[in-house]
Amino acid sequence: MVAVTEPASREAAAVSAGPRVDYGMLRLRRLRNREGYLAWVLHRVTGLGVLGFLCLHIVDTSLMLQGPAAYNQLVKNVYQQWWFQPLEVALGAALIYHTLNGLRVILLDLWSGAITHDRTLRRIVAWSFLAIMVPLAAVMVWPFIRTH
Amino acid sequence: MAVAVRARRPAVTSAAGARRREFYSWYFFRVSGLLLVVLALGHFLLMHAVHNILDVDYTFVARRWVSPLWRTYDWLLLTLALLHGFNGLRVMANEYIRPRQARAVATWLIAGATAVFLLLGTYVLVAFQAPGM
């Protein structure tokens, strides 16, 4: 039998308990803690999103070694284009959500009584996310609206 | 039937070694995550809120990189974000890739990608010199 590695987080363990229903690669399971499931999935999805961007960003920043013409051309033709801004806002949203939910995870790890307040914590994450993203998106996009 | 006496595997390859490494990985996520709250959010806000992406060009970056403090900030951000992110990818690979060989290949690819991006980013931060600044 191939040994299955333990899920590294308490969150994943709560999700993976319960009888299994195998739907191919997704491996959906009959969940016990359904409530934290969306947060857990979003944490992974946003993490992957930020990681993917990070790799592209390291490559594009390496253009600095090629001189002003090359770097400025990329920045002007991609990052400063109006059509790219929704992607920038999405990146910011992924980063903000991953950060807020990550802080919630750390709180759950450090304070044993926190799990009874998990629903409240997830609500705080959601509302904080909106409170940060709405003004942040406005600030990011405003210069582009102004010049049109 | 298993043989009654057998040599113990060295701690690096044993299940106990794996548990110890997973514990360090668990710890690393939390510590690096807290540092990244400041480093990553700070970087993002600097580029998109304090300044705007329209202000960012070669000169903007080159001026920042005159200061060794900013280069160090960027390098810490690079290293912690890469390790935090690719470690997360490794955890996901361990959960979703069932065949043992495929899992091992994925882990090596992740390690290789981490090394490549880390080396590239470090090289840029160390080697960059703006002419005449």
Side-chain angles (χ1 to χ4, degrees), chain A residues 41 87 138:
Chain A
V41 168
L87 291 171

Side-chain angles (χ1 to χ4, degrees), chain A residues 37-143:
Chain A
Y37 180 65
L38 180 63
W40 179 76
V41 168
L42 283 179
H43 200 71
R44 290 193 161 187
V45 167
T46 54
L48 287 176
V50 174
L51 180 64
F53 170 77
L54 175 63
C55 294
L56 290 174
H57 193 34
I58 292 172
V59 173
D60 78 55
T61 305
S62 71
L63 277 183
M64 283 291 293
L65 291 177
Q66 310 293 333
Y71 185 76
N72 286 341
Q73 186 188 44
L74 174 75
V75 168
K76 196 154 68 93
N77 292 329
V78 179
Y79 287 116
Q80 291 177 347
Q81 292 293 313
W82 63 269
W83 50 262
F84 193 79
Q85 300 320 303
L87 291 171
E88 294 268 37
V89 173
L91 169 69
L95 189 63
I96 297 288
Y97 180 84
H98 194 87
T99 303
L100 288 171
N101 196 46
L103 289 172
R104 173 183 146 262
V105 170
I106 290 177
L107 198 60
L108 286 167
D109 289 334
L110 289 178
W111 174 31
S112 59
I115 191 67
T116 58
H117 304 283
D118 191 36
R119 188 178 300 172
T120 308
L121 289 175
R122 275 182 283 112
R123 286 224 183 101
I124 293 175
V125 166
W127 285 109
S128 308
F129 174 79
L130 284 174
I132 295 174
M133 271 322 291
V134 170
L136 180 59
V139 164
M140 286 172 70
V141 163
W142 174 242

Side-chain angles (χ1 to χ4, degrees), chain A residues 3 8 12 20 40 44 48 51 55 58 61-62 64-65 67-68 71-72 75 80 88 92 105 109 140 143, chain B residues 26 30 34 41 44 48 52-54 56-58 61 65 78 81 85 89 92 95-96 98 103 117 123-124 128:
Chain A
R20 279 170 48 190
W40 179 76
R44 290 193 161 187
L48 287 176
L51 180 64
C55 294
I58 292 172
T61 305
S62 71
M64 283 291 293
L65 291 177
Y71 185 76
N72 286 341
V75 168
Q80 291 177 347
E88 294 268 37
V105 170
D109 289 334
M140 286 172 70
Chain B
W26 184 92
R30 276 75 181 158
L34 283 174
L41 278 190
F44 188 87
H48 292 280
N52 189 271
I53 194 67
L54 291 171
V56 173
D57 61 357
Y58 180 90
V61 179
W65 283 354
L78 169 82
L89 194 57
M92 290 181 64
E95 273 192 39
Y96 294 129
R98 282 317 190 88
R103 211 162 51 222
F117 285 109
Y123 179 76
V124 172
F128 177 80

Side-chain angles (χ1 to χ4, degrees), chain B residues 20-21 24 27 47 49 60-61 83 88 95-96 117 119 124:
Chain B
R20 198 176 59 233
R21 283 192 296 275
Y24 291 148
Y27 229 115
M47 299 300 157
F60 180 89
V61 179
L83 292 177
E95 273 192 39
Y96 294 129
F117 285 109
L119 284 173
V124 172

